[in-house]
Amino acid sequence: MTDAMPAAMPAALELDDLPALAGLRHVAVAYSGGRDSSVLLHMACWWAARSGVQVHALHVQHGLSAHAAAWEAHCAAQVQAWSDLCHVDLRVRRLALVVPPGASLEAHARTARYQALAEMAREAGCDTVLLAHHRDDQVETFLLQALRGAGPSGLSAMPGDIVRDGLRWVRPWLDRPRAELEAHRVAHRLSHVEDDSNADPRMARNRLRLKVLPALRSAFAQADEALLTSVRMAQDARVCLDALAQVDLSAVRDPDDPQALSIARLAGLDPARRRNLLRRWLLDQGERAPGQSQLMRLSTEPLQAPDGRWATPGGVVHAYRARLRWVAQGDAVPRGAPICRVPLQAGRYEVPEWLGSVVIESADTGGIALAGVDAVELRARRGGEQFQSHTGGPPRSLKKQFQAAGVPPWARQAPLLWRGDALVLVPGLGVDARARAPDGQAQWSLSWEPWPAAGR
């Protein structure tokens, strides 16, 4: 790395006119120590030296390479060398990746990396993160998505400027080729690390970059420009399709449950618009992008299966009483949830084993008597439990009571609250009539509040 900041930089790579940086006092730079991120950090520090902005270099150590510690040390030395020339510091997050069976290492590492970058950016007080992706990366991403059978969303490749989870992610050089960044690195003698995994042919992106793209560019001189034109057209198409999906969603949402869809109204759309709407509906709830085969099933089968269920990447779509409802995996109660006790006194009691909270408040009506045992227990359904919905009515099985009250299947997995041997509360049905205290008598109101799924 050079010992001092140069007096001028190539205009093509300058960050001065980037709207996303206007008025910022802190900015984060994703910094792996590789060629491209080294150039980006160099430019960000040069800009910061003149503007007085604090730069936070964010380094994620995946722990997948034997050289990871050496790369981290290089990044620390590089940032230290520049700390006297501009306001820059280094933040590091070390990961211990455990890739689920059958999952993609590339995808799993990418998800973990962006999560770590977001955490470090927030800790540094930044709301903007700069990423060093360039035009060649964009071309590779488009081709990879095309080879995976992606639609307009995937073919849109990487956005240049997008807000996700409260952070702004900016890629200032998506229209600049890798060669320009490399020329800058060489001209300013910037040191960098070489990631040995970039030559691993087991990685799809590496095979594309090392074998396919050189041949494609040799055969078609304008390949990059043509592919980037397709990216821009896909981005336009995605915007239009998302707008259409929002129009259709406003017409198809169930009026009594904004998160649910009316199956009858969904059937009124043609198949292509149904698939487009369903994709947007799932994404808006935090689901991962469903595959085309899943969308094909979801757009047709619920019209004939009024009580079916369909697995999605991160949850389940339920059809129940003419409605479609998506339930995230994180909303499901863990198997084998144990019996848990909470004190029978006013307060909110978190029960992580059941992914929810018990809320106890004083009440004048509809509650249970204060006298008796001093705690309630949360238990799983075992079968055979009966619930009495109103005074004078017969106790009936929970299944029949749920059906009568219209409680959907995905809402029937909450714990049952017991007071000794007496069932006192069934979430979705309320307090059992046999346990209710007389009106006007001191009593406790009980309720169960499930936690929202993580990440939504």
Side-chain angles (χ1 to χ4, degrees):
M1 183 174 287
T2 51
D3 295 330
M5 292 291 175
M9 289 285 184
L13 299 182
E14 284 189 3
L15 302 175
D16 299 68
D17 297 329
L18 197 65
L21 300 184
L24 293 182
R25 304 311 304 163
H26 295 263
V27 68
V29 177
Y31 178 47
S32 68
R35 295 169 182 262
D36 302 331
S37 67
S38 294
V39 172
L40 180 60
L41 182 61
H42 181 248
M43 290 299 299
C45 287
W46 181 76
W47 166 71
R50 295 179 297 112
S51 62
V53 171
Q54 170 76 45
V55 176
H56 302 276
L58 311 181
H59 180 77
V60 180
Q61 189 195 114
H62 298 85
L64 298 175
S65 171
H67 308 295
W71 297 341
E72 180 184 329
H74 164 85
C75 291
Q78 188 107 311
V79 169
Q80 180 61 39
W82 275 29
S83 60
D84 294 334
L85 305 173
C86 66
H87 301 292
V88 59
D89 63 19
L90 177 69
R91 292 170 182 265
V92 177
R93 184 74 88 247
R94 300 179 185 90
L95 305 180
L97 293 179
V98 178
V99 183
S104 163
L105 173 61
E106 291 175 275
H108 191 74
R110 180 172 58 252
T111 298
R113 178 169 63 253
Y114 276 99
Q115 181 177 344
L117 290 172
E119 291 172 354
M120 288 189 287
R122 294 190 183 97
E123 291 169 1
C126 298
D127 57 15
T128 300
V129 182
L130 300 183
L131 303 167
H133 298 111
H134 44 68
R135 190 176 74 176
D136 295 55
D137 293 323
Q138 188 77 315
V139 168
E140 292 170 10
T141 300
F142 173 84
L143 287 173
L144 283 172
Q145 291 291 342
L147 291 170
R148 292 167 181 158
S153 181
L155 297 178
S156 295
M158 295 179 289
D161 189 338
I162 190 170
V163 175
R164 284 181 178 153
D165 298 326
L167 291 173
R168 191 172 188 179
W169 303 85
V170 180
R171 297 176 174 90
W173 294 333
L174 284 183
D175 61 344
R176 315 309 305 179
R178 177 184 283 116
E180 285 190 12
L181 277 68
E182 179 62 10
H184 178 97
R185 187 194 65 78
V186 172
H188 296 282
R189 303 188 301 280
L190 303 182
S191 59
H192 67 283
V193 301
E194 288 286 358
D195 187 345
D196 48 318
S197 70
N198 287 335
D200 187 345
R202 293 174 296 178
M203 305 294 186
R205 186 177 288 269
N206 291 345
R207 295 196 299 274
L208 187 68
R209 183 178 64 254
L210 299 174
K211 295 183 178 181
V212 177
L213 273 172
L216 185 64
R217 287 164 174 154
S218 176
F220 301 95
Q222 303 302 315
D224 283 33
E225 289 76 7
L227 294 172
L228 289 171
T229 296
S230 293
V231 169
R232 289 188 284 271
M233 293 175 67
Q235 290 172 342
D236 287 347
R238 177 183 180 180
V239 170
C240 293
L241 289 170
D242 282 349
L244 176 61
Q246 294 300 337
V247 171
D248 288 341
L249 275 170
S250 65
V252 173
R253 288 190 192 278
D254 189 276
D256 298 323
D257 184 355
Q259 295 299 317
L261 302 180
S262 163
I263 293 178
R265 296 180 182 184
L266 186 67
L269 299 176
D270 65 63
R273 287 178 68 170
R274 286 202 299 268
R275 291 191 293 273
N276 183 55
L277 177 152
L278 288 164
R279 178 187 170 279
R280 186 70 265 165
W281 174 64
L282 291 170
L283 290 174
D284 285 349
Q285 296 182 86
E287 173 61 289
R288 299 189 295 276
Q292 184 68 5
S293 61
Q294 288 178 318
L295 288 176
M296 291 289 289
R297 294 187 62 193
L298 284 174
S299 66
T300 56
E301 294 180 9
L303 308 187
Q304 291 84 37
D307 293 312
R309 50 183 285 153
W310 298 264
T312 60
V316 177
V317 172
H318 294 264
Y320 181 72
R321 295 197 174 184
R323 297 175 184 171
L324 279 187
R325 194 71 152 75
W326 179 75
V327 179
Q329 287 177 349
D331 287 338
V333 174
R335 290 184 179 180
I339 295 175
C340 300
R341 289 171 60 88
V342 298
L344 194 52
Q345 53 186 289
R348 174 183 293 272
Y349 303 95
E350 295 187 350
V351 189
E353 296 88 349
W354 284 93
L355 303 178
S357 303
V358 175
V359 180
I360 303 177
E361 301 173 310
S362 61
D364 296 323
T365 185
I368 65 173
L370 298 184
V373 296
D374 59 359
V376 290
E377 289 186 344
L378 286 72
R379 306 177 192 170
R381 290 176 63 186
R382 300 180 62 182
E385 298 91 350
Q386 293 196 325
F387 180 85
Q388 185 172 327
S389 61
H390 59 279
T391 302
R396 302 172 66 194
S397 70
L398 286 184
K399 180 178 180 180
K400 290 183 178 179
Q401 295 284 22
F402 281 138
Q403 291 174 338
V407 178
W410 59 87
R412 301 177 186 179
Q413 302 306 311
L416 307 180
L417 273 65
W418 295 77
R419 189 180 192 181
D421 295 328
L423 177 63
V424 296
L425 177 74
V426 178
L429 298 179
V431 173
D432 191 295
R434 295 166 294 182
R436 289 182 198 143
D439 290 350
Q441 179 179 317
Q443 53 193 276
W444 293 122
S445 166
L446 304 178
S447 62
W448 170 253
E449 295 184 359
W451 295 343
R456 291 192 296 145

